[in-house]
Amino acid sequence: MAPPLEPDNSVRVWPVRLVIARCQVDYAGRLTAHLPFATRLLIVKADGSVLVHSDDRSYKPLNWMSPPCTLVEGVDRHGEVEWVVEARNGDTLRISIQEIVSDSSYDLGIDPGLQKDGVEKHLQELLAQHPGSLAEGLSLVRREFPTAIGPVDLLCRDIEGASVAVEIKRRGDIEGVEQLTRYLELLNRDPLLSPVRGIFAAQEIRPQARVLAGDRGISCATVDYDALRGMDDPTVRLF
Amino acid sequence: MAPPLEPDNSVRVWPVRLVIARCQVDYAGRLTAHLPFATRLLIVKADGSVLVHSDDRSYKPLNWMSPPCTLVEGVDRHGEVEWVVEARNGDTLRISIQEIVSDSSYDLGIDPGLQKDGVEKHLQELLAQHPGSLAEGLSLVRREFPTAIGPVDLLCRDIEGASVAVEIKRRGDIEGVEQLTRYLELLNRDPLLSPVRGIFAAQEIRPQARVLAGDRGISCATVDYDALRGMDDPTVRLF
DNA sequence: ACGTTGATTTCGTAA
DNA sequence: TTACGAAGTCAACGT
């Protein structure tokens, strides 16, 4: 789908189109699906994708077509307006429109996109740089230490030279403790590493996780993300 | 959020609200995320959920809040309109609105919902009725045959009376073959069943899965869903 | 209410 | 390009 041309042939940003319409929808692709007639919100995005939303069940549309795809507006056998949205692989979305309540378009321009911050990965980088903030005298052996069931976030050594496995989460939940438990069990089979103890590190540790960790002999460390970031970049400390 | 009251105190269906606005968005919950100022589509659904869409990257919103949540419209420290959407668990979505391009609401009413067809469960039902379409003379012993690691989709007997385990997927991938392999290993320990061979059945089988299956001595069967459905309902054959 | 599993998953990253 | 794993996964189903 090429962007629309203005009367003077200038290229304009393809707008997002919002349609409120009474419609029925049929999808044929990986599965077959049908939506009976009802009033819905139809969104045609700049990339050609189409979303069919009801007023609940967020955030997934009732039905949709992912880009790249083409939209052809035509008339069905009942003489009603029909949108046929087709993907390269033959997936087809047919929208029969009985009545249009509203139809408007807007240029949104290019979106700078989402900036994710404070994710596990960044926490891991910061803690790898400052393992001492987890326990006195802790030093890093390796980040993403490989095991057969996946990499351990941090493998460290404590002040007495004993191995310490660290699992890092933004929010410490039971599943994170379970994960660390599995790693510890595996690591402790290695006579070169054993005994390995565990530290569960998170910005926030839920009570249930804390209890489970205690039961497993795993220590918990709440991480001050902002403080760590301050240690990471000395210029921040000036303010 | 209670539905709005009309001047005569009658309760009205809460409408979906569409706003085109230049805004910035901050999310704090499982992660922290930021959207710089740009013009976007904001959708407030009847169930209170909020979606922030750009004009591409369907169908997932750039940012969102799932129900149940509450939206409070206020003013931020810069004197600009700010929506604060908060969930029970403390997750917060802050939308600072610099300029509203459009703001409209519509009553969509209740949606009858999506009717899906062709999912794994339905495939399993159809193949259970017509095991012969997988291999000549195959007959069903039991659907969802229980094992210690979960139920096998179909347990059959071939024309010579030998056991056959069938794993059904819509799209045959490596993990499906692995799953069937685990079942076969377990089933073959049972002297009453052994030897058990495997059939990997799917509407579409990926090359890698086919190779792995061959390597494990598992046969593959691509399933013609429409043909099966035709067999399922005799009236269809009249056309 | 909770856990498990499938999904038209989507989305990122590393190989 | 493909494969693998995580996701603010979501959503349906069984216990």
Side-chain angles (χ1 to χ4, degrees):
Chain A
M1 251 171 127
L5 289 182
E6 293 296 292
D8 65 353
N9 268 357
S10 67
V11 176
R12 185 163 60 83
V13 174
W14 187 271
V16 61
R17 181 177 177 193
L18 305 180
V19 177
I20 303 283
R22 185 173 166 76
C23 61
Q24 72 174 350
V25 183
D26 285 279
Y27 169 75
R30 291 190 46 174
L31 59 72
T32 310
H34 174 71
L35 282 169
F37 273 109
T39 303
R40 303 191 176 90
L41 163 63
L42 309 176
I43 303 174
V44 185
K45 288 196 174 190
D47 59 13
S49 58
V50 178
L51 314 183
V52 180
H53 269 282
S54 67
D55 66 359
D56 63 349
R57 271 161 288 191
S58 80
Y59 56 76
K60 199 173 170 185
L62 289 170
N63 222 322
W64 71 92
M65 183 64 78
S66 299
C69 59
T70 55
L71 189 159
V72 176
E73 205 163 332
V75 175
D76 71 5
R77 57 189 170 187
H78 303 292
E80 279 167 358
V81 172
E82 184 185 48
W83 294 0
V84 179
V85 191
E86 202 162 0
R88 299 286 154 74
N89 61 358
D91 286 14
T92 307
L93 188 70
R94 282 169 192 277
I95 306 177
S96 291
I97 297 174
Q98 208 172 46
E99 183 200 354
I100 288 183
V101 177
S102 165
D103 186 348
S104 52
S105 297
Y106 306 90
D107 285 342
L108 298 188
I110 294 168
D111 200 287
L114 190 67
Q115 297 165 10
K116 287 188 181 179
D117 190 17
V119 289
E120 188 182 316
K121 189 181 170 186
H122 197 195
L123 268 179
Q124 190 191 106
E125 287 166 6
L126 291 171
L127 287 172
Q129 284 172 43
H130 309 283
S133 62
L134 291 169
E136 188 64 34
L138 209 66
S139 63
L140 182 70
V141 174
R142 194 177 156 178
R143 206 149 76 82
E144 300 280 355
F145 183 85
T147 79
I149 56 170
V152 177
D153 286 338
L154 303 182
L155 189 67
C156 300
R157 232 171 258 290
D158 66 16
I159 204 159
E160 294 168 2
S163 296
V164 180
V166 181
E167 177 62 35
I168 303 164
K169 296 286 178 198
R170 183 181 138 75
R171 278 196 184 171
D173 222 326
I174 282 179
E175 65 203 39
V177 179
E178 294 286 12
Q179 193 178 345
L180 180 52
T181 304
R182 290 195 297 272
Y183 287 137
L184 287 171
E185 196 204 324
L186 214 68
L187 293 171
N188 272 310
R189 288 185 200 161
D190 185 344
L192 293 177
L193 292 172
S194 182
V196 187
R197 64 184 178 93
I199 297 180
F200 188 51
Q203 272 190 278
E204 178 194 336
I205 298 180
R206 297 198 184 267
Q208 289 191 342
R210 203 177 283 274
V211 170
L212 184 64
D215 185 60
R216 302 261 170 91
I218 293 169
S219 28
C220 291
T222 38
V223 179
D224 187 332
Y225 178 67
D226 292 327
L228 268 180
R229 197 157 47 172
M231 292 167 72
D232 185 45
D233 183 3
T235 60
V236 176
R237 302 188 121 181
L238 299 176
F239 298 93
Chain B
M1 251 168 130
L5 289 183
E6 293 297 291
D8 65 352
N9 269 355
S10 69
V11 176
R12 185 164 59 85
V13 174
W14 187 271
V16 61
R17 180 177 177 192
L18 304 180
V19 177
I20 303 284
R22 185 173 166 75
C23 62
Q24 73 175 351
V25 183
D26 285 280
Y27 168 76
R30 288 280 293 264
L31 57 74
T32 310
H34 174 71
L35 280 169
F37 273 111
T39 304
R40 303 191 176 88
L41 164 63
L42 309 176
I43 303 173
V44 184
K45 290 195 174 192
D47 58 11
S49 59
V50 178
L51 284 62
V52 180
H53 268 283
S54 68
D55 66 359
D56 63 350
R57 273 162 287 187
S58 79
Y59 58 76
K60 201 176 167 181
L62 289 170
N63 224 322
W64 71 92
M65 184 63 78
S66 300
C69 59
T70 54
L71 190 159
V72 176
E73 207 164 329
V75 176
D76 70 6
R77 55 189 171 188
H78 303 291
E80 279 167 358
V81 172
E82 184 185 48
W83 294 1
V84 178
V85 191
E86 200 161 2
R88 300 286 156 75
N89 60 358
D91 287 14
T92 309
L93 188 70
R94 283 171 192 277
I95 305 177
S96 291
I97 297 174
Q98 207 172 49
E99 182 200 355
I100 287 183
V101 177
S102 166
D103 187 347
S104 52
S105 297
Y106 305 91
D107 284 341
L108 297 187
I110 295 166
D111 201 286
L114 190 67
Q115 297 165 12
K116 283 187 185 181
D117 194 11
V119 289
E120 186 183 318
K121 188 181 168 189
H122 196 195
L123 263 181
Q124 191 192 105
E125 288 167 4
L126 290 171
L127 287 172
Q129 284 174 43
H130 308 284
S133 62
L134 291 171
E136 189 63 31
L138 209 67
S139 64
L140 182 70
V141 174
R142 191 171 163 185
R143 204 149 79 83
E144 300 280 355
F145 184 85
T147 79
I149 55 171
V152 177
D153 286 338
L154 303 182
L155 189 68
C156 300
R157 236 171 253 292
D158 66 16
I159 203 158
E160 294 168 0
S163 296
V164 180
V166 181
E167 176 63 35
I168 302 165
K169 296 286 178 198
R170 280 181 313 98
R171 278 204 180 168
D173 222 327
I174 282 178
E175 65 201 41
V177 178
E178 294 285 10
Q179 196 177 345
L180 180 52
T181 304
R182 292 194 295 272
Y183 287 138
L184 286 171
E185 196 203 327
L186 214 69
L187 293 171
N188 271 310
R189 287 185 200 162
D190 185 343
L192 294 177
L193 291 172
S194 181
V196 186
R197 63 184 179 91
I199 296 180
F200 189 51
Q203 275 189 274
E204 179 196 338
I205 299 180
R206 295 195 184 270
Q208 289 196 342
R210 204 177 282 276
V211 169
L212 184 65
D215 186 60
R216 303 259 170 93
I218 292 169
S219 27
C220 290
T222 39
V223 179
D224 186 332
Y225 177 68
D226 292 327
L228 269 180
R229 193 158 51 170
M231 292 165 73
D232 185 44
D233 183 0
T235 61
V236 177
R237 302 187 121 180
L238 300 175
F239 298 92

